[in-house]
Structure formats: C-alpha cells, structure tokens
DNA sequence: GAAAATATTTTGACTCGTCAAAATATAGAG
DNA sequence: CTCTATATTTTGACGAGTCAAAATATTTTC
C-alpha cells in the first residue's frame, strides 16, 4: 500500500536508526539522506505517522513502528536480493547496481522476488556484504569490527563495505578488497590518520582512517 | 526522457495502429486501451505532440512520429524480453507475467536490458509468441494466419496468442495450445460460429470464432 | 439538411511529491 | 539568562497524471 517514496523513507529511517545509536532519527538527517529539503521530509513523515508506520515527535525526530519496520525490512530484502541477482546472474559490476536496485526494489512483486530468491539459492548477503533480511523480516545480526580498529600485524577477511558510492566501490575493487578478500594490517599511523594494508594479490596500499572505517572485517581463520 | 505514462501511451498507440489499418488512432480507442477517461488521453497526447513524439490532429486522431515509434519499439522490446526472462528463467506462469512486465518495462536500464538479452541468448519471440524488436528497433515481420481462417483438416502450429487476458491464457494453456503446439482443424461450423480442433496431446475442443481469431498459426511441416 | 446520437475537447478540481522561503522552536555561547 | 545560531515546521506554489462534467465538434439517422 505505501508508495515508492514512502518505502524509501521507511528504509532510510531504518538505516539511519541502525547507524546512529539514537532512538529518534532527526528530520535533518532524514532529509539529507533522502536528498530532499527538510520541509519535504516533515510532510512525508506526517503522512507516515498518520498511517501508523512511524512515530513522529515534532522537533525531536522519527522512529519506525513495528509495521513500518516490517516494510522497511521487506524493501531492504528486495534491494539486496536484486543487487545480488544483477551481479551474480547478469554480470553487472557491483559498483553500478545500487541505483538500479533503488528503482527495482519498488517494482518487483512478492511472487517474483521469491522466485529470484530461490533461483539464487537463498543468498544471505549481497555483493557489498550487506546482510539480506529473511522473508519473515529477520536480519541476521553480527557485529564485525571496522578495519580501522584492527591492530598491527593482524590478518583479517573483508566482509562488508558500508558505502554505496560508485567511486569508492571502484577504488575498493581495484585494490582487491571485495567481501571475502584477506588482508594483513601492515602499519597503523596514528599521527598520519592512515593505515597501511597488504591485500593478498594486489599491491600494498595506504588508506585514510575515514575510508578504513567503511570496511568491516572478521578475523581470518 | 519520456515518463512511464508517456512510454505507455506511445506503446499503446503503436499497438493500436498495428491492429487497425487506419492511419490515425482515434482518441477514444487510445483512452479505452490505456484505461483512462478520454479527456486524459487528449491532454497526454497534446504533450506528446509538443514533444514531437506524435502527430495529433484534433477530432481525427494521433499517430507516432519516427522518434515516437523508436521509443514505442524500445518499450515493446523491454516488455517482451522481460516476459521471456520471467517465464524462462524464473519459472513464472506465462499468464501472469504481463502485469509485472508492464511495470518493469519502465524501470530497467538499457545496460541491464542488454545483459538480460545476452543471458537469454537473444530471443526473438516472447512467451506469447509476440516478436521481440531488435535493439535497433527492427520488428521481424511475418504475417501468420488466424486459426479462424484455416480450412478443415489442416494441420497447423500455433505461433502466437494475441490477447494478454489471464483467464484466456490459462484457458489456452489448459488445452495445450501454447506457441509451438500442433493442432488439426477438425470441424468448421459456420452457422454455429465455432471451430472444433484436435490438439496433439489434449482432448478435442470447440472454440468460438472470436477466440479462434486470437490464435495465430503457421502451416505445420 | 435538420435533429439526434456519438466522439472529442475543455474546464475545473484533486492527489502526490516536491521546493522556496517565511515563521517558529530549540540549542548553544556568553 | 539572554541573545544568537541552528534545526524544524509552515505556508504557498508547482508539475504530473488523473477524473467528472460541461462544452463543442462530428457523424448518423431520418
Ligand atoms: Mn528506492
Ligand atoms: Mn548493497
Ligand atoms: Mn507499462
Ligand atoms: Mn507478451
């Protein structure tokens, strides 16, 4: 029943809520994330509130109701399954599937989605390592560390890249840092705000800690 | 650049033009085909006219310009390739893919479409036997006969069903009359306005000539 | 060839999602 | 505590796509 726009708002509220520890998502953050002017976010959120999909407190922020959360997770599931299909089956580059999925997530029927899920063999993570919610809306939770928090000499496996920016993803790919790749932490330069890492097959590289914070890892072995 | 609605109008104008020998498509027909009120069709057609996608003559009708035709064929290509994907790859029933494709045809990028085309091995007809326009907008033309025009005793192969109605398609399927199936004309009952046919593996059936007109065939062998 | 029937266009209104800019509330600095 | 900076909401407007119903044009009928 919710419109495409409404689905996107719910999804963005969910994601912003996840990444900030705050209970309420501020309207400014939501507007920025949605790429709209703040007043637009306010008016949409009021509609979502009237539809009992969010709880909205003026001047404080917004959070999802159980119903809103359910829809947000469904949209996320669609998005990530579609991305997986585009990369695995049709060979699109992982850096270019996000925008396509952003549209398709609102267009594909439940029936088709489940067929695709079966076709892909029920994948649990998308090409960026993002977990795929189950059809029942369960999000397999794990708490991987950030690459930026690892200690010198450690060997870790990249498991997730939390940034959809095309240029960043291409950068990551060029240095062989896709989910599943192993790297060793070579040097941590606190003063220089950077980290030097040794990918398995590619050349060593130095990346700023801001970028390193966007790579999630788990211990190898 | 054209909106989803505009794409659909162009497609419908193209299809109506094909099926009627008239040069101009009347606004009433277009409105009915689009499922909108006549005034709505008029206002959209005026916009398409302003965008040089159609030539519109008040109180007479509308026809596509070269540019409009190009877009219509692209949309048709998308639609039919998507239907093929849904049936062949994801196993959806051919009677239920039309509505889904009606949406997806406006959502999928050119890049993805070409990947899907490659994945499917460049199909030339969709699950209903409708020809798929080439990427350059060439529509392989053939002029198959109608089942209703066949003569008694003839053996023919069904090659196309020109009706997207779910119930009709399910009826066709139940009697083993999908594109590719062979049938023999058993009895032609002019007075009763019906035709009796013998499918290969299924039971004989009698269908009205209105329905028989929607099945296109070619001579077997 | 006039009257009636039918088709088309026009007008005015509505919803949705959006922006610009004004009004207002809240948070922060001193 | 008061003033200023920042965040949020309100207001008024817009384009897209649509409908209902009135106005008008065209076609058919007699
Ligand atoms: Mn989206
Ligand atoms: Mn992703
Ligand atoms: Mn469509
Ligand atoms: Mn078809």
């Amino acid at each position: 029943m919710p419109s495409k726009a409404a689905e996107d708002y719910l999804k963005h509220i969910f994601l912003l809520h996840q990444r900030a520890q705050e209970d309420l998502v501020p309207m400014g953050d939501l507007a920025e994330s949605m790429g709209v002017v703040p007043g637009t976010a306010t008016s949409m959120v009021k509609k979502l509130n009237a539809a009992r999909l969010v709880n909205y407190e003026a001047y404080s922020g917004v959070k999802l109701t159980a119903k809103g959360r359910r829809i947000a997770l469904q949209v996320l599931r669609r998005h990530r399954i579609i991305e997986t299909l585009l990369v695995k089956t049709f060979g699109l580059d992982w850096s270019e599937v996000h925008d396509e999925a952003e549209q398709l997530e609102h267009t594909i029927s439940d029936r088709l989605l489940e067929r695709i899920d079966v076709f892909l063999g029920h994948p649990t993570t998308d090409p960026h390592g993002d977990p795929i919610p189950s059809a029942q809306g369960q999000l397999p939770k794990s708490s991987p560390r950030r690459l930026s928090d690892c200690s010198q000499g450690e060997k870790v496996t990249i498991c997730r890249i939390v940034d959809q920016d095309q240029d960043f993803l291409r950068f990551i790919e060029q240095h062989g840092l896709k989910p599943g790749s192993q790297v060793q932490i070579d040097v941590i330069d606190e003063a220089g705000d950077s980290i030097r890492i040794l990918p398995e097959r590619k050349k060593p590289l130095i990346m700023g800690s801001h970028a390193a914070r966007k790579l999630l890892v788990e211990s190898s072995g």
Side-chain angles (χ1 to χ4, degrees), chain A:
Chain A
M1 204 73 34
S3 66
K4 303 182 179 199
E7 288 186 347
D8 276 334
Y9 278 93
L10 294 173
K11 188 180 70 172
H12 278 84
I13 294 168
F14 179 87
L15 292 173
L16 288 169
H17 176 75
Q18 255 198 344
R19 312 237 175 292
Q21 64 282 59
E22 298 300 323
D23 185 42
L24 291 174
V25 174
M27 300 311 274
D29 293 8
L30 177 56
E32 163 156 29
S33 172
M34 285 293 300
V36 298
V37 111
T40 302
T42 299
S43 78
M44 184 71 228
V45 163
K46 281 178 158 185
K47 286 183 210 164
L48 297 175
N49 189 67
R52 304 283 175 216
L53 297 171
V54 305
N55 285 126
Y56 164 59
E57 291 188 46
Y59 295 105
S60 306
V62 65
K63 65 175 166 184
L64 297 174
T65 62
K67 201 169 157 194
R69 188 168 188 277
R70 233 198 49 235
I71 294 173
L73 281 163
Q74 275 177 206
V75 177
L76 217 48
R77 173 174 164 81
R78 281 158 191 277
H79 185 102
R80 292 176 178 170
I81 286 180
I82 291 163
E83 281 189 344
T84 306
L85 176 73
L86 300 189
V87 170
K88 282 254 178 65
T89 305
F90 300 125
L92 289 184
D93 199 278
W94 76 325
S95 67
E96 64 189 4
V97 295
H98 184 75
D99 294 344
E100 187 105 31
E102 199 55 56
Q103 295 304 125
L104 288 169
E105 67 189 354
H106 313 292
T107 307
I108 281 186
S109 71
D110 284 336
R111 173 174 246 147
L112 175 54
L113 189 80
E114 296 319 317
R115 293 305 180 101
I116 293 175
D117 185 45
V118 167
F119 179 83
L120 292 172
H122 306 289
T124 58
T125 62
D126 82 0
H128 314 103
D130 298 320
I132 298 175
S134 75
Q136 291 73 40
Q138 295 302 113
L139 194 53
K141 80 165 180 179
S142 61
S143 42
R145 284 175 302 153
R146 301 198 182 95
L147 177 61
S148 56
D149 295 339
C150 295
S151 41
Q152 212 150 315
E154 232 185 312
K155 278 188 186 163
V156 297
T157 305
I158 309 282
C159 66
R160 187 171 174 188
I161 287 84
V162 289
D163 184 336
Q164 305 292 148
D165 181 72
Q166 285 213 194
D167 293 332
F168 183 65
L169 292 178
R170 272 197 286 261
F171 168 83
I172 292 301
E173 177 157 41
Q174 259 154 31
H175 292 90
L177 299 176
K178 281 211 232 187
S181 0
Q182 297 217 0
V183 300
Q184 180 167 12
I185 316 302
D186 188 26
V187 183
I188 295 176
D189 179 353
E190 297 279 6
D193 188 42
S194 72
I195 181 173
R196 185 170 200 270
I197 61 182
L198 309 171
E200 267 195 314
R201 312 214 151 275
K202 305 273 181 162
K203 292 186 180 170
L205 82 153
I206 295 174
M207 64 197 307
S209 72
H210 181 69
R213 219 170 293 135
K214 297 191 286 195
L215 302 191
L216 304 189
V217 303
E218 47 198 20
S219 303
S220 289

